[in-house]
Structure formats: structure tokens, C-alpha cells
Amino acid sequence: MRRGLVVGNWKMHGSKASVAELVTGLKRLTSHADADLAVCPPYVFIPSVVDGLAATDITVGAQNVSDQAEGAFTGEVSAGMLAEFGCRYVIVGHSERRTLFADSDKLVAAKFVAAQQVGLTPILCVGESLAQREAGETLTLVEEQLLAVIDSAGIQALSKAVVAYEPIWAIGTGKTASPEQAQQVHAHIRQVVAKASSTVAAGLQILYGGSVKADNAAELFANQDIDGALVGGASLQIEDFAAIYNAAG
Ligand code: PEP
């Protein structure tokens, strides 16, 4: 039985004051026995969020990581640094990184490997654009993004990772994939992994991301291959984020 997981991606939002308020709200949440909660703040807020949530079961992740261990890479942050500052997760391959910062499948795979080398759990994002969906390319594209990581890290690496299916057309747009559309892609992801290892496939947490809200979370989570959510906008509103977490618990 897979545990539920809800992860908040705060993107480049927040101030000292708003982050302190969010942490206060998160500390008041009641944890569920069968679902976990994590938040991914911008880098600079990670230490205060880790400290603020230390007495809770809520874990912290980063939104990106360098594929390099250290060196002259101005502006980058290594996986080792994230681990030292108390991160448990790191998002790799978010579509905003892929489209705005040209993170290729190869670079995403290298970031995935760098994260695992220091014990971080990568949250690998995959997903298609609207044009790719309309061209019927969704399943092939998602499979290619997944195989790029499996080819480089090996199938067992997925036993210590999370996959997030995030259709680009649903991110921050208010358009959510229907539960049937999401379930179809999640099932495909699990089948692709199962071809290499049925054990890894059975244990893999696959999250859905794309305009998940308090009022659509439960119908998404009711599907057998949807194990939780990666939540952008709604993770900045504590009541909404709490309701999504409650739907997963
Ligand atoms: C995201 O950024 O990963 C995301 C899913 O955003 P939103 O929930 O705002 O669509």
C-alpha cells in the first residue's frame, strides 16, 4: 500500500513575513497516518522553514538543484548543500525549468542522479504541452522523459524517487486534467516502470500536478494510480493546502 504525498511548490513567491505565516499555519495541521506533507520554498527560505517545521512531520524540499557537486557555477546550489540544510526532497524537471531555463532530459537525469547521490529524494516532473496532447503524443512524450532518467540512473533509482505527472497546459491555468485523463497517464507511467521492475512500479508514488485545488483533489485521489499531488498556487493558501492534504489522508 503506497502512502499518500502532497507537496507544495511555492515557486518564486513569498517574503519573510508571508513565509512565517505559512509555517505557522502548517504547524497547526493535524497529520494523517497514511499521507505525508512536504513544502518546497525558494532556496533562501529553506533554513527558516526547516527550523520552523522541525517539530512536525512535514518535510522540506527544494525546487531545483545543480547537477554538479561543487565548483565555479555561479548562481547554482548543489544537492549536498540542500541535504546539509535539511531538505528531504528536490523537484527536478519541472516544466517551468524545462521551458524557461532549457533543462533538457539529459540535464534533468543528471540532476536526479546528483540528488540521489547525497540521499535526497528527487520528485521527477514529466508532462506534455497542449499541442503535444492534441497531437496524441502525451503517452510517448511522458515515456521518453521517464526513460531518460531510467536509462541514466537505472530502474532501482526509482524506488527512492517520486514521479509527478504535470500536464503543462494545466499548470497555473485553472484547467485541471480530468481524473480519467490523469489516471490514464499515471497508469502508463506505472506500466513503463513495471516493464523493468514490477516491484519498483508497485511502490512508486506518482503525484498529479496542475491546478489541484481543494474542490478537485478528492476526485483525483480516488484513482488507483494517483498517490497525491504536487501543488503550486493552492499551496500558498493554508486552508486550500490543508484541504488538499486532508483529501489525500
Ligand atoms: C506546479 O507548479 O507544479 C503546479 C502544479 O502549479 P499549479 O498547482 O499552480 O497549477
Side-chain angles (χ1 to χ4, degrees):
M1 182 68 182
R2 294 180 296 274
R3 293 180 65 73
L5 176 63
V6 173
V7 180
N9 172 14
W10 293 357
K11 310 197 188 196
M12 198 174 72
H13 292 294
S15 61
K16 281 187 184 177
S18 70
V19 166
E21 210 175 302
L22 270 174
V23 168
T24 303
L26 288 167
K27 280 160 70 174
R28 293 201 185 110
L29 300 185
T30 309
S31 59
H32 294 286
D34 56 354
D36 299 316
L37 196 56
V39 290
C40 300
Y43 287 137
V44 290
F45 297 122
I46 286 173
S48 66
V49 176
V50 168
D51 285 354
L53 298 177
T56 74
D57 295 328
I58 305 170
T59 53
V60 177
Q63 300 170 18
N64 183 34
V65 67
S66 173
D67 63 320
Q68 302 294 321
E70 69 168 327
F73 302 104
T74 303
E76 292 289 271
V77 173
S78 74
M81 293 169 188
L82 297 177
E84 188 181 359
F85 277 82
C87 284
R88 156 108 192 256
Y89 294 101
V90 62
I91 298 171
V92 297
H94 191 281
S95 61
E96 286 153 17
R97 297 287 327 167
R98 291 181 190 263
T99 56
L100 302 174
F101 302 97
D103 281 16
S104 63
D105 279 350
K106 194 168 165 234
L107 182 57
V108 170
K111 290 181 176 192
F112 182 106
V113 169
Q116 285 196 330
Q117 273 168 352
V118 299
L120 295 175
T121 301
I123 300 174
L124 169 68
C125 297
V126 296
E128 82 288 2
S129 66
L130 187 57
Q132 288 163 328
R133 173 159 282 270
E134 286 173 351
E137 293 166 4
T138 300
L139 299 184
T140 323
L141 188 272
V142 162
E143 186 166 341
E144 273 169 21
Q145 290 174 329
L146 193 58
L147 289 177
V149 169
I150 295 174
D151 288 349
S152 146
I155 191 65
Q156 290 305 324
L158 279 184
S159 64
K160 293 196 183 104
V162 174
V163 172
Y165 167 55
E166 296 210 310
I168 299 172
W169 49 272
I171 296 179
T173 59
K175 286 186 200 155
T176 318
S178 69
E180 295 74 26
Q181 285 173 321
Q183 167 58 26
Q184 184 201 22
V185 181
H186 282 231
H188 184 68
I189 290 170
R190 209 175 296 288
Q191 276 161 21
V192 171
V193 176
K195 277 188 210 150
S197 167
S198 55
T199 316
V200 174
L204 180 65
Q205 288 172 310
I206 309 177
L207 313 183
Y208 169 77
S211 297
V212 176
K213 306 268 181 268
D215 59 7
N216 61 20
E219 57 177 6
L220 286 159
F221 299 159
N223 292 274
Q224 65 172 15
D225 290 299
I226 303 182
D227 303 310
L230 180 54
V231 186
S235 69
L236 298 166
Q237 305 298 330
I238 196 69
E239 295 79 16
D240 293 345
F241 194 51
I244 295 167
Y245 175 53
N246 292 339

